[in-house]
Amino acid sequence: MLLEVNDIQVHYGKIAALKGVSLRVDAGEIVALIGANGAGKTTTLKTISGLRPLTSGRIHFDGNDISRMPGHLRVVAGIGQAPEGRGIFPGMSVQENLLMGSYAKKGARDSGLVEVYELFPRLAERRSQAGGTMSGGEQQMLAIGRALMAQPKVLLLDEPSMGLAPILVAQIFTIISEINRRGTTVLLVEQNASQALQLADRAYVLETGRVVKSAPASELLTDPEVQAAYLGGDLDTEMQMDGDRRIRP
Ligand SMILES: Nc1ncnc2c1ncn2[C@@H]1O[C@H](COP(=O)(O)OP(=O)(O)OP(=O)(O)O)[C@@H](O)[C@H]1O
Ligand SMILES: [Mg+2]
């Protein structure tokens, strides 16, 4: 097991955003975390990367208890994060943005650049261009590339497909799959549950700060409750076509 989150609670002031979340990610896996707005997906990732403190519970990574470890040391330990909303530096060039990613792990700098430019030829072409002038899809690639610069063992991705046109969404998912194929474990938060579940090995469903389901992704894809709540109500349509024999509680 690479990452184990054990019964964590996280508060914003008095409000509990996570009410005892547990999950695990094994080396080599792609694990998806899905759930509605406000369910606690971003909070879960931020707590794993050390951007939010936990109130109780434990996080183990690569054999060590990292529950109280500062965020920059978690980067060194092998936790990389591409944050929600990308968070790139608009006035800095693409390459300067990427180098910020190896700040905590300077030894990784040159090999990191080679690898990121290989994965994202577009970033190589635009290495001198200001980050803020890149398109939405390119900025997302830059955010992922920056997280890869420290050569993480696990990559935490928060809604990488947000705001992207369908063709770019497909590209981003292909790249995530390629990053995983090259050996990086991935924990993926997505509103785009259908695509996330098609890519992932396993998934967790988060509702108001709790895990309500966890299963192989292929099982969740055909789970009626998951379909109704997160997959655009495909099941409803199917059942209506089947003579409207829907049974509702
Ligand atoms: N900085 C903050 N201050 C106060 N409450 C917050 C803060 N950030 C998040 N919360 C609250 O914590 C809960 C979980 O938020 P979080 O951002 O983790 O959800 P999410 O699943 O990522 O949602 P989304 O799909 O909208 O990104 C929500 O109720 C949210 O309002
Ligand atoms: Mg979020």
Side-chain angles (χ1 to χ4, degrees):
M1 184 160 11
L2 183 61
L3 173 69
E4 184 182 23
V5 172
N6 193 1
D7 200 22
I8 58 168
Q9 293 196 15
V10 175
H11 289 77
Y12 292 100
K14 286 202 161 63
I15 300 177
L18 302 186
K19 303 166 185 165
V21 167
S22 297
L23 59 86
R24 63 162 226 278
V25 181
D26 293 327
E29 282 189 307
I30 298 180
V31 173
L33 193 55
I34 61 173
N37 288 125
K41 306 179 299 294
T42 296
T43 303
T44 302
L45 293 192
K46 283 184 171 173
T47 309
I48 294 169
S49 63
L51 295 174
R52 290 295 316 171
L54 40 74
T55 331
S56 65
R58 287 265 168 265
I59 303 175
H60 284 86
F61 179 69
D62 210 13
N64 297 309
D65 187 338
I66 60 159
S67 311
R68 310 277 165 206
M69 184 186 275
H72 68 281
L73 293 181
R74 297 190 203 195
V75 176
V76 178
I79 297 176
Q81 180 171 23
E84 191 178 28
R86 296 158 200 159
I88 64 156
F89 303 100
M92 290 168 60
S93 72
V94 165
Q95 181 143 320
E96 286 164 346
N97 267 280
L98 289 176
L99 291 175
M100 290 301 284
S102 54
Y103 181 78
K105 210 171 168 179
K106 294 213 167 58
R109 192 185 149 118
D110 294 342
S111 51
L113 273 183
V114 171
E115 191 177 349
V116 169
Y117 284 148
E118 203 176 288
L119 265 172
F120 300 101
R122 178 64 63 91
L123 296 183
E125 286 163 23
R126 312 230 157 162
R127 67 183 80 197
S128 311
Q129 187 172 323
T133 64
M134 307 268 282
S135 74
E138 290 165 348
Q139 289 191 20
Q140 185 58 62
M141 291 175 193
L142 181 52
I144 296 174
R146 188 179 57 187
L148 287 174
M149 283 295 292
Q151 300 180 321
K153 292 179 180 141
V154 67
L155 178 63
L156 312 178
L157 295 172
D158 197 349
E159 312 238 13
S161 77
M162 186 163 57
L164 300 185
I167 182 146
L168 288 173
V169 173
Q171 265 182 36
I172 288 283
F173 277 93
T174 304
I175 288 167
I176 295 168
S177 158
E178 173 63 16
I179 289 168
N180 178 252
R181 205 188 55 75
R182 292 177 175 215
T184 307
T185 304
V186 175
L187 178 56
L188 170 69
V189 160
E190 262 299 335
Q191 293 259 342
N192 193 333
S194 165
Q195 300 241 26
L197 291 176
Q198 288 174 53
L199 182 69
D201 300 299
R202 291 186 303 111
Y204 294 84
V205 180
L206 212 55
E207 272 175 21
T208 55
R210 292 178 212 281
V211 172
V212 294
K213 270 182 204 281
S214 78
S218 55
E219 264 174 44
L220 291 179
L221 269 174
T222 56
D223 180 308
E225 281 174 14
V226 170
Q227 288 186 334
Y230 304 108
L231 300 175
D234 296 353
L235 178 76
D236 281 7
T237 323
E238 261 174 47
M239 292 186 79
Q240 272 164 0
M241 290 193 309
D242 203 25
D244 204 12
R245 284 182 283 112
R246 274 188 299 170
I247 298 166
R248 290 271 162 186

